[in-house]
Amino acid sequence: MTLLLLFPGQGSQKPGMGKDLVEAFPAARRVFDEADAALDASLSTLCFEGPTEELTRTHNAQPALLVHGAAVWAVVRERAAAHVAAAAGHSLGEFSAYHAAGALPLADAVRLVRRRGELMFETGVSRPGTMAAILGELQRPIEDICADASTVGSVVPANYNAVEQVVISGEVAGVEQAMELAKAAGAKRAVRLPVSGAFHSPLMQPAHAGLEAALAGASWQTPRWPVFSNVTSAAVTETAVARELLLRQLTSPVRWVEVIRAMAAAHPDATFVEMGPGNVLTGLLKRLAPSHQARTCGTTAEVGALLASL
């Protein structure tokens, strides 16, 4: 069996995440303990108990999701690693993918995404913005809609999640105008998202220098397998390219449709495995790579099922 690992981004976090893994597997407990030590804070308590509002904060959600994915991977790694052909992650999840590929040590990865979350939150305060999901088939390109709406406030496509699901990001006035234009162009729904800033848009530029320094300060190794980039949808195998693209990701759209299609084309008989809480990415796969098998691996039961299949 050939496996393609997928790691979710912000929005998949929830109180209780990882608790069953820690109770069942010493390897998972070691991951959470190491993360707590790296951050000098009890991230594990926040993951296991919440509260939801605190866990959802950008600087907490990002390391929480990375650590949960790392814990799952630590449990299955010995049996699964030989089967993995490639990995990818949605936004924050791309950092998790590099950790799983051996390119980023856990402590470095946790501190890096904590810093990324802090920078993104601080930028959201200094340059307020928002995001919205546009659902349904549009009668005109979302890029044209955003360009028209930018006459009242900068707005751009931020996440190409599926053919009929795009997230836009930018200044509040621009996003609101784009939502109205999208509905006029046939969108079934246009929904504001509960975020602290205009992620994956030019409004995140003030965070660039800080993230560049954080990326440079981590100890990087060559990934054991390719990680497909959110920015280019191409397979990345060199650390210098990885750092450059993770930096560009800050202000660039997540091209998830292209990522999944590229992975599926390169590995036509592989099984996608979503490593983390929930099934957001697995749900998208049904539309993006319908001929591929897909499964989730975020709970003790799901870990057992994956290991049994190997």
Side-chain angles (χ1 to χ4, degrees), residues 180-242:
E180 294 304 315
L181 293 175
K183 286 187 282 188
K188 292 180 181 178
R189 297 178 65 202
V191 184
R192 280 274 294 270
L193 300 179
V195 294
S196 60
F199 304 151
H200 298 291
S201 85
L203 269 68
M204 285 288 113
Q205 186 62 34
H208 185 278
L211 181 58
E212 185 174 31
L215 286 163
S219 299
W220 288 85
Q221 301 292 328
T222 301
R224 296 190 188 102
W225 50 72
V227 174
F228 281 71
S229 166
N230 285 190
V231 175
T232 64
S233 76
V236 177
T237 57
E238 299 178 13
T239 57
V241 177

Side-chain angles (χ1 to χ4, degrees), residues 107-223:
D108 282 21
V110 171
R111 287 191 288 261
L112 175 55
V113 300
R114 166 78 92 181
R115 184 60 183 144
R116 180 179 183 264
E118 291 171 346
L119 290 163
M120 292 169 70
F121 176 79
E122 291 164 3
T123 301
V125 172
S126 64
R127 295 197 68 184
T130 191
M131 303 175 77
I134 308 299
L135 309 176
E137 188 173 349
L138 300 175
Q139 296 165 0
R140 54 192 296 237
I142 189 64
E143 294 84 0
D144 292 352
I145 289 172
C146 287
D148 289 349
S150 290
T151 57
V152 299
S154 175
V155 57
V156 295
N159 299 339
Y160 293 92
N161 291 333
V163 176
E164 297 183 359
Q165 184 187 127
V166 180
V167 174
I168 58 175
S169 179
E171 295 174 327
V172 173
V175 169
E176 290 180 343
Q177 177 70 2
M179 290 169 69
E180 294 304 315
L181 293 175
K183 286 187 282 188
K188 292 180 181 178
R189 297 178 65 202
V191 184
R192 280 274 294 270
L193 300 179
V195 294
S196 60
F199 304 151
H200 298 291
S201 85
L203 269 68
M204 285 288 113
Q205 186 62 34
H208 185 278
L211 181 58
E212 185 174 31
L215 286 163
S219 299
W220 288 85
Q221 301 292 328
T222 301

Side-chain angles (χ1 to χ4, degrees), residues 275-289:
M275 308 288 288
N279 58 0
V280 170
L281 302 181
T282 307
L284 294 174
L285 278 166
K286 296 174 183 177
R287 286 172 280 178
L288 300 178

Side-chain angles (χ1 to χ4, degrees), residues 23-174:
E23 292 172 347
F25 302 107
R29 178 171 293 280
R30 287 193 292 271
V31 167
F32 274 92
D33 287 347
E34 185 176 346
D36 286 353
L39 296 178
D40 193 24
S42 187
L43 181 69
S44 57
T45 300
L46 188 58
C47 289
F48 303 159
E49 301 175 10
T52 300
E53 181 180 357
E54 190 65 22
L55 179 60
T56 301
R57 296 185 189 278
T58 299
H59 63 284
N60 290 328
Q62 294 197 23
L65 286 162
L66 184 140
V67 172
H68 188 277
V72 174
W73 177 242
V75 173
V76 304
R77 178 174 51 215
E78 184 175 346
R79 294 266 297 279
H83 297 271
V84 177
H90 191 285
S91 189
L92 168 278
E94 193 169 344
F95 290 80
S96 308
Y98 277 110
H99 165 68
L104 271 175
L106 179 64
D108 282 21
V110 171
R111 287 191 288 261
L112 175 55
V113 300
R114 166 78 92 181
R115 184 60 183 144
R116 180 179 183 264
E118 291 171 346
L119 290 163
M120 292 169 70
F121 176 79
E122 291 164 3
T123 301
V125 172
S126 64
R127 295 197 68 184
T130 191
M131 303 175 77
I134 308 299
L135 309 176
E137 188 173 349
L138 300 175
Q139 296 165 0
R140 54 192 296 237
I142 189 64
E143 294 84 0
D144 292 352
I145 289 172
C146 287
D148 289 349
S150 290
T151 57
V152 299
S154 175
V155 57
V156 295
N159 299 339
Y160 293 92
N161 291 333
V163 176
E164 297 183 359
Q165 184 187 127
V166 180
V167 174
I168 58 175
S169 179
E171 295 174 327
V172 173

